[in-house]
Amino acid sequence: MYEERHHSEILEDVLQFIYPLIILFGLYIILTGISQPGGGFQGGAVLVAIFMCRYLVSPREMGRLDLIQKIDKLILVFILALASMLILLGFREVIPYFNGIYNMLIGILIGIKVASGLTVIFYTFAFIEGGKED
Amino acid sequence: MMPVVEKIMYIALIIFAFMSVQTPKLRRAVVYLAVFSAGSAFVYVLLGAPDAALAEAVIGSTIATIIFLSALQKYKAFTVYYTNEMRHEYRQSNLFRRRNAVLERIENFCSGKDLEAHIMYTTESLQEVMKNHGWDIIVRRKNNKFSIYGMEQNYHIEEMKKYIDENFNDLRKLGYEIELHIGWSENE
């Protein structure tokens, strides 16, 4: 009964069309965040919409939460490594246009980090906390 | 021009914040909160902080709203079937204009117990509803007689009985009969 109530073909078809637009918009916000309003945090928050849409389409399938969690932790390590590399190794003098590249890289990493972190929060909340409705 | 829009937005924000606190239905409160969030994002733009506005719009009015709504989904629904065998159809406009006093009180009972009342109007007979649908209570009306049916297994039915004994006396004085049946035989 639950499945019938929540499964909507209209929603599914429309969302399939919208997924790439969400990804494009999220990436746009992340990449143009250097010179415009936006940035990693906001773009990552837009990217979470993908997983939320998935939840709306199929509220019973959790997906691979452990994988997302691992990505989340791995990206955190990358961010810390990149930041400490900037301070310790002194790439700034060697590589031309270092600031632009660095900003873009850290923006993308923060975007993925925020997206996966918020996804973990949302999925934990939606599937694990408080039990399921029946 | 700009300060006027700003002032209007400030007033609207206060109104929406107040409404979201004051409204009795949680679902409505969530929607008001989302509108409040979108409004505050607009105010951030007017104040020259597009970065904060973007974050507010994405997180405040989208992600927080979805999380609240999925929390409300876990919130227990209390399904009430209302059947009136004298009628063959219900007009939508009538349903909105003249709320049934009995159903209204059941709704009050539910909101006091932190339940969300889902009221279904049906023209099916009592037996059909019992057999074919999932329900918590059924309200049957026959002229001036309201019969409320519930199962013993239902967690809230004892408190409902108490509530009905206490709060329906004024309707009884007006000539309505209201009774609660808990558990019954098949042929009833």
Side-chain angles (χ1 to χ4, degrees), chain B residues 68-180:
Chain B
F68 280 146
L69 286 179
S70 64
L72 281 184
Q73 225 179 33
K74 290 172 187 277
Y75 197 72
K76 231 169 162 219
F78 195 75
T79 315
V80 181
Y81 271 89
Y82 176 74
T83 163
N84 185 346
E85 283 160 34
M86 298 295 133
R87 279 195 154 168
H88 299 294
E89 59 170 351
Y90 296 97
R91 289 240 180 95
Q92 193 123 38
S93 53
N94 275 355
L95 292 184
F96 280 115
R97 221 181 314 135
R98 297 183 297 152
R99 288 309 300 271
N100 190 315
V102 173
L103 289 182
E104 212 160 77
R105 273 162 220 216
I106 288 174
E107 256 188 348
N108 281 346
F109 167 79
C110 289
S111 61
K113 286 268 167 297
D114 262 13
L115 297 165
E116 183 112 337
H118 289 191
I119 295 178
M120 318 276 189
Y121 291 87
T122 172
T123 54
E124 293 173 35
S125 71
L126 180 68
Q127 278 79 13
E128 282 176 76
V129 176
M130 279 180 185
K131 235 182 264 168
N132 301 334
H133 301 286
W135 47 270
D136 289 303
I137 58 169
I138 304 173
V139 180
R140 177 166 72 160
R141 181 173 186 182
K142 216 171 196 181
N143 299 325
N144 273 353
K145 189 179 174 191
F146 288 91
S147 316
I148 301 171
Y149 295 88
M151 288 286 242
E152 269 175 272
Q153 291 94 309
N154 196 315
Y155 184 62
H156 300 285
I157 208 78
E158 282 299 317
E159 283 163 33
M160 182 136 208
K161 190 177 179 193
K162 211 171 146 201
Y163 183 83
I164 287 172
D165 285 342
E166 280 169 8
N167 292 297
F168 283 62
N169 288 328
D170 50 335
L171 283 177
R172 286 195 181 109
K173 272 179 200 154
L174 287 174
Y176 292 102
E177 283 182 57
I178 293 147
E179 24 180 72
L180 177 69

Side-chain angles (χ1 to χ4, degrees), chain A residues 12 14 16 26 31 34 36-37 44 49-50 53 64 68 70 82 84 90 95 97 103 107 115 130 132 134:
Chain A
E12 199 171 333
V14 171
Q16 265 175 13
L31 292 180
I34 301 161
Q36 280 177 21
I50 301 166
C53 290
R64 302 200 50 191
I68 300 170
K70 261 176 206 154
L82 206 64
S84 47
I95 305 171
Y97 307 116
N103 278 339
K132 278 174 193 166
D134 266 316

Side-chain angles (χ1 to χ4, degrees), chain A:
Chain A
M1 189 173 165
Y2 184 89
E3 289 291 331
E4 282 166 26
R5 210 151 31 102
H6 282 271
H7 188 80
S8 157
E9 275 188 23
I10 297 173
L11 197 65
E12 199 171 333
D13 288 350
V14 171
L15 285 178
Q16 265 175 13
F17 179 72
I18 288 178
Y19 280 142
L21 294 180
I22 295 172
I23 296 174
L24 203 65
F25 183 55
L27 286 180
Y28 169 80
I29 289 179
I30 290 173
L31 292 180
T32 58
I34 301 161
S35 52
Q36 280 177 21
F41 183 77
Q42 286 91 336
V46 170
L47 287 178
V48 188
I50 301 166
F51 295 99
M52 287 186 169
C53 290
R54 252 201 69 186
Y55 173 72
L56 287 181
V57 171
S58 53
R60 281 272 156 124
E61 292 169 31
M62 181 146 74
R64 302 200 50 191
L65 191 60
D66 51 337
L67 186 72
I68 300 170
Q69 223 160 356
K70 261 176 206 154
I71 292 173
D72 188 31
K73 286 169 186 167
L74 203 67
I75 295 289
L76 181 62
V77 173
F78 277 146
I79 291 173
L80 291 178
L82 206 64
S84 47
M85 257 162 59
L86 176 77
I87 299 167
L88 298 178
L89 298 180
F91 279 139
R92 198 197 291 263
E93 288 79 31
V94 188
I95 305 171
Y97 307 116
F98 181 79
N99 275 350
I101 296 168
Y102 177 79
N103 278 339
M104 206 172 74
L105 264 179
I106 208 97
I108 291 171
L109 284 180
I110 287 176
I112 298 170
K113 162 79 185 149
V114 168
S116 52
L118 281 176
T119 306
V120 170
I121 291 173
F122 178 70
Y123 272 11
T124 312
F125 185 80
F127 290 107
I128 297 166
E129 283 287 315
K132 278 174 193 166
E133 180 208 35
D134 266 316

